[in-house]
Amino acid sequence: MVAVDEGEFVLLNDLPVEDELADLLGTSMVAGELANLIYGSRASTPFVLAVDGRWGTGKSTLMKQLSDNLARRPDVETVWFNAWTASGVSALTGMLKLVLGKLDRNVVRRAFRQLRDNEVLGGSLRIGAGVAASFFRLDRALDQLWAQMSVDARAREQARDLLAQSLGAWVDEQTGQPRHTIVVFVDDLDRCGEATAIEICEAIKLYLDLPGIAFVLGCDLSVLSRISLPGAETGSHVREYLEKIVQVSYQIPVAPEATVATMIQGYAARSGTGHLLTEPLVALIGRQCAGNPRRVKRLLNSFVAEYQLDPRWREFGADGLMKSVLLQHLYPDLYREILRTTGDTVGDLLAYRSARYWLLNHGRQPSDEDVKTGRHHLASYGVLQPSEDDPMEVWERALGQLEGRVPEAWRLLAGNEDCRMLIRDLGPEEERLRLQHRLRRRPLSTTPTPIDTSVADGSRYEGLRLLWIDDSPADNELMINSLAARGAQVRTSTGTRQAMDLLPLFQPNALISDLGRADDEYTGFDGLRALRQAGYAGPALFFTSFVDDGRREGAEAIGAEITASSVRVNEWAEAQAATLS
């Protein structure tokens, strides 16, 4: 553990935790129990244990500690297979090589000789009679076998026979049970390509389903169950297929709040930021990051990098920077709105929240402050203020008018108590204005990693060809990177003319556009009409700063949707990708 001097901040790494003293989630205890289970079940091999969990929840840490625990036990060998580096039949070849590499060379040589003498090894595999006379010749023969496996199904069967024959030397003649066990760890199975994932599953089931071998798979089973399995017509068919592969799964649970708080405080202490996190902020981070260790680390690392890259934050105060990073990571729509607007955007959101509460709770005696703020906010937006004697439909109409004149994202944020707590913690108007002006002059230079909102939920966008039109494409860089990380192809254009040139070359099947450019706040509508006339007939979404009834009606008139929420952009893209699968 690195000691951090007061005022010194350091980055946190993203490696699996191996040291039990550095284990902030109690993973080592679970690893020990799983190791006992696997070790006690050696006579039941072959079997597959899945460590099931979403991105960043600690699967790799658990598997690493489980591997280290098993490696210390007698008659157990462990081996790791990197699914990301495998593709096609190389997955099978690589796994067979790793397993054979854990066996005694004399055992493999004798098995090779016996199979050759029994004419099991032959056909396309041409091996001289003296091949087993030396390890050198054995290596050459194995290399020849691996090379032929990619093109010759017979060679793959021969490799399985060789492995089975070699493992047979471990079997106790009296009990019929293996005396040794190889535990193969395969991490990130859900993060590799579908073809590779299927190849690994086939290797486990068809070629390595042998006594003496156990597998531990690290994956998100909910993601893996959505792969395009040849011959599978429904998701239930894929799940049935996986049930044939996996005998038991351990799902990483959501840690208790107290454990999550300890983890966050521990990471903050290691990064030197512990003194900046109050108990309410720790609780907020824990809820918003869902106890995900990787997300917590990335949030703290963003703060550390920003503090080091921009010395002016030291003059402003680390506390203000931490709250800005929290806004950017946890409430990106609000952060974006702050940068886009002037004045007290945060205060406007708080006022809208009060006005909305007042309108929704008509007749329930809201506080005088809510009534005062609500009336003031309605007046500022030109919404007719209902009187106490007006019927309910008048109040509902006023609420509809108000919500049509504020950023769409505010409707979600207004009911979020965690968001309210964070922005109220920005201080009184003068203090929060100072922070907002600071962000507008110099926005944060670090951004949340796209994987936080993409691969984390497992959805994939292969086949989606998205044309994104915006005269300031840099404003959408984070969302574009997020979509690309999920497999979408994205091309950007700064205007309609450039988009027209891209249309026949890129052939998009989805389109996102801004609405206002320069002095024309509706030019996006004209641009989409022109693209429709040029042949684009696919779905379209306008992503703009705010949505009112007029803008919504204008978008619907030309067969498009409109939103001011980056969350909705991702939902829309996911829906379009789903229609292609």
Side-chain angles (χ1 to χ4, degrees), residues 256-449:
E257 288 186 14
T259 303
V260 172
T262 299
M263 174 194 70
I264 295 171
Q265 291 164 341
Y267 287 149
R270 293 175 193 178
S271 67
T273 61
H275 61 287
L276 298 175
L277 296 184
T278 62
E279 287 188 15
L281 283 181
V282 168
L284 170 62
I285 295 171
R287 287 192 296 272
Q288 295 296 321
C289 294
N292 188 305
R294 186 169 292 165
R295 289 183 177 175
V296 173
K297 288 180 180 179
R298 289 173 186 249
L299 189 151
L300 294 175
N301 281 342
S302 288
F303 166 82
V304 169
E306 200 71 49
Y307 197 84
Q308 293 297 119
L309 292 171
D310 189 349
R312 280 170 287 190
W313 276 113
R314 305 183 185 191
E315 302 172 6
F316 191 92
D319 180 69
L321 173 58
M322 177 61 77
K323 293 170 184 175
S324 300
V325 170
L326 288 171
L327 275 175
Q328 182 198 37
H329 279 248
L330 306 183
Y331 307 106
D333 283 334
L334 176 55
Y335 176 79
R336 180 176 176 271
E337 190 69 15
I338 290 173
L339 300 189
R340 189 192 68 81
T341 57
T342 59
D344 187 8
T345 306
V346 171
D348 288 343
L349 173 58
L350 289 171
Y352 161 71
R353 187 179 184 279
S354 294
R356 180 174 179 270
Y357 181 81
W358 173 50
L359 292 173
L360 285 173
N361 290 275
H362 170 55
R364 300 180 189 175
Q365 296 182 338
S367 68
D368 292 341
E369 180 63 27
D370 283 326
V371 173
K372 178 181 177 182
T373 305
R375 289 190 177 281
H376 174 76
H377 199 59
L378 289 181
S380 68
Y381 276 93
V383 176
L384 182 63
Q385 300 181 32
S387 66
E388 294 298 325
D389 298 329
D390 285 333
M392 183 60 67
E393 54 264 27
V394 175
W395 290 79
E396 293 174 349
R397 186 162 56 250
L399 177 61
Q401 291 177 349
L402 174 64
E403 292 191 335
R405 300 179 186 184
V406 299
E408 187 175 353
W410 285 13
R411 303 176 196 176
L412 298 176
L413 294 174
N416 189 311
E417 286 300 313
D418 286 334
C419 179
R420 182 192 66 83
M421 184 196 75
L422 177 60
I423 60 180
R424 282 196 179 278
D425 200 36
L426 296 179
E429 180 178 359
E430 181 179 353
E431 186 175 336
R432 66 177 182 245
L433 266 174
R434 181 168 170 258
L435 178 60
Q436 292 173 87
H437 291 332
R438 167 66 176 80
L439 289 172
R440 290 165 184 144
R441 290 195 307 272
R442 191 174 180 85
L444 299 178
S445 55
T446 57
T447 58
T449 306

Side-chain angles (χ1 to χ4, degrees), residues 524-529 532 538 540 542 553-561:
F525 289 160
D526 295 333
L528 179 57
R529 292 190 187 96
R532 295 282 196 213
F542 288 101
E553 291 171 0
E556 292 174 351
I558 52 177
E561 295 185 41

Side-chain angles (χ1 to χ4, degrees), residues 467 469-470 493-501 503 511-517 520-538 540-542 554 558 560:
L467 177 59
I469 308 170
D470 196 298
S493 164
T494 56
T496 303
R497 183 180 296 277
Q498 188 179 16
M500 296 280 278
D501 293 338
L503 205 59
L511 183 146
I512 295 177
S513 174
D514 57 356
L515 186 55
R517 297 173 212 143
D520 188 346
E521 64 173 319
Y522 295 109
T523 189
F525 289 160
D526 295 333
L528 179 57
R529 292 190 187 96
L531 290 167
R532 295 282 196 213
Q533 292 177 356
Y536 178 72
L541 174 73
F542 288 101
I558 52 177

Side-chain angles (χ1 to χ4, degrees), residues 211-223:
I213 300 182
F215 282 88
V216 178
L217 307 182
C219 60
D220 183 343
L221 287 175
S222 67
V223 174

